[in-house]
Amino acid sequence: MCRLLAYLGSPILLDQILTKPEHSLVVQSYQPREMNSGLLNADGFGIGWYHAQKDAPPFTYKNILPIWNDTNLSSLGRYVESRCILGAVRSATSGQAVDLSNCQPFDYQQLLCVHNGRIENFRETLARPLRDRLSDNAYKSIKGSTDSEHFFALIIEELHNNPTATITKALHNALLALEQLVKSYDITASANMIITDGQQLVASRFATNTQTPSLYWLRDDPTYPESIVIASEPLFAGDWHPVAEQSILSVGQDLNVQITQL
């Protein structure tokens, strides 16, 4: 399991959301409170963000070190400002390589994606069936070996098959496809996803045949006015709302929250 974070709102410095909160992503890497499995998130981390003024592809910074050991993060966090930020600290599934290609966020054109969850025995079960559903374009987007990135590729495939589809619809269809595959192989899977194009956040809290990982959202906190924060665990005391199980939460530029049950 991993710990995720997303921010959308007024421009802020990275460290304001990544490292300064009482129960920040750094703290969650070594002292998580609500992980279903594992004790630490020490197998690397990644941050993704969009330029605060320019229309440009997203930026990412990744490291296979634990986030608490990265000496560059403090300087980066005090320098970079953005209105849309994603972050993840990783607890690698047994058998999955700890390398940069498997660090999140994953990116594709304007999209960034982070995932918390797992597909049971991925290489022996759904690795090939998921790949068989992908066009060459979506398949070539995969750079690593994780179940997380393969599922992101399925979402990319949904967007290519229907260019007018929203990210919310593509994620919805991909989750239903995953659920069908999981049932046919009699395994477990969980997929807490957060996807953004820099203008919106789309998140899911989903599991089948297993416990659903935790996910929360918060809007217009006094510390972060005119913003939405989504996180695996609350970053500080506040009016946090659990994302409903088996649902998708969508946030547009107006910061209105819409929740759709699967």
Side-chain angles (χ1 to χ4, degrees), residues 1-260:
M1 293 295 175
C2 306
R3 301 286 84 180
L4 309 180
L5 169 69
Y7 172 90
L8 181 68
S10 302
I12 61 170
L13 292 170
L14 295 186
D15 68 354
Q16 286 183 256
I17 195 69
L18 289 174
T19 61
K20 287 188 174 181
E22 174 187 348
H23 192 56
S24 69
L25 207 57
V26 176
V27 176
Q28 291 181 39
S29 67
Y30 61 80
Q31 201 170 45
R33 296 171 178 163
E34 299 188 42
M35 282 178 61
N36 294 347
S37 63
L39 299 174
L40 297 172
N41 294 281
D43 300 316
F45 74 96
I47 308 161
W49 68 92
Y50 294 79
H51 198 286
Q53 288 86 33
K54 298 179 182 178
D55 183 13
F59 303 86
T60 60
Y61 176 76
K62 304 178 185 182
N63 201 326
I64 60 173
L65 289 173
I67 192 171
W68 66 78
N69 273 345
D70 189 296
T71 59
N72 297 311
L73 185 61
S74 176
S75 294
L76 186 70
R78 288 184 286 107
Y79 177 75
V80 175
E81 186 177 66
S82 177
R83 65 179 305 273
C84 184
I85 302 164
L86 258 61
V89 289
R90 185 181 183 215
S91 176
T93 301
S94 178
Q96 292 285 356
V98 178
D99 58 36
L100 285 177
S101 65
N102 285 338
C103 282
Q104 304 181 48
F106 305 118
D107 63 279
Y108 179 78
Q109 297 178 357
Q110 284 295 116
L111 298 179
L112 289 175
C113 172
V114 289
H115 168 256
N116 173 36
R118 64 184 291 267
I119 298 173
E120 183 183 1
N121 298 324
F122 174 65
R123 289 182 62 84
E124 292 75 27
T125 56
L126 297 194
R128 185 58 181 267
L130 277 178
R131 291 182 180 187
D132 288 343
R133 288 173 174 252
L134 304 178
S135 63
D136 285 347
N137 190 64
Y139 178 77
K140 290 175 182 177
S141 73
I142 300 172
K143 303 177 183 70
S145 59
T146 63
D147 49 358
S148 304
E149 192 176 18
H150 281 72
F151 185 65
F152 180 43
L154 185 61
I155 297 167
I156 293 170
E157 181 70 14
E158 288 289 336
L159 290 169
H160 276 291
N161 288 341
N162 186 359
T164 63
T166 62
I167 298 173
T168 300
K169 183 62 175 178
L171 176 57
H172 182 274
N173 290 346
L175 287 170
L176 293 181
L178 176 64
E179 186 174 38
Q180 291 176 351
L181 287 169
V182 165
K183 288 180 179 179
S184 65
Y185 280 80
D186 193 24
I187 57 174
T188 64
S190 51
N192 280 16
M193 309 287 293
I194 308 176
I195 307 171
T196 183
D197 59 3
Q199 306 298 320
Q200 60 184 311
L201 295 176
V202 179
S204 64
R205 187 178 179 209
F206 172 87
T208 180
N209 299 332
T210 189
Q211 185 178 356
T212 311
S214 61
L215 194 67
Y216 297 85
W217 66 275
L218 172 146
R219 177 177 172 176
D220 294 335
D221 185 83
T223 308
Y224 303 94
E226 299 180 18
S227 71
I228 289 279
V229 182
I230 302 173
S232 295
E233 301 180 12
L235 306 179
F236 47 83
D239 189 24
W240 293 88
H241 306 279
V243 176
E245 294 186 12
Q246 310 302 94
S247 73
I248 295 176
L249 181 149
S250 304
V251 184
Q253 287 182 286
D254 57 6
L255 300 183
N256 285 333
V257 174
Q258 295 185 344
I259 298 175
T260 306

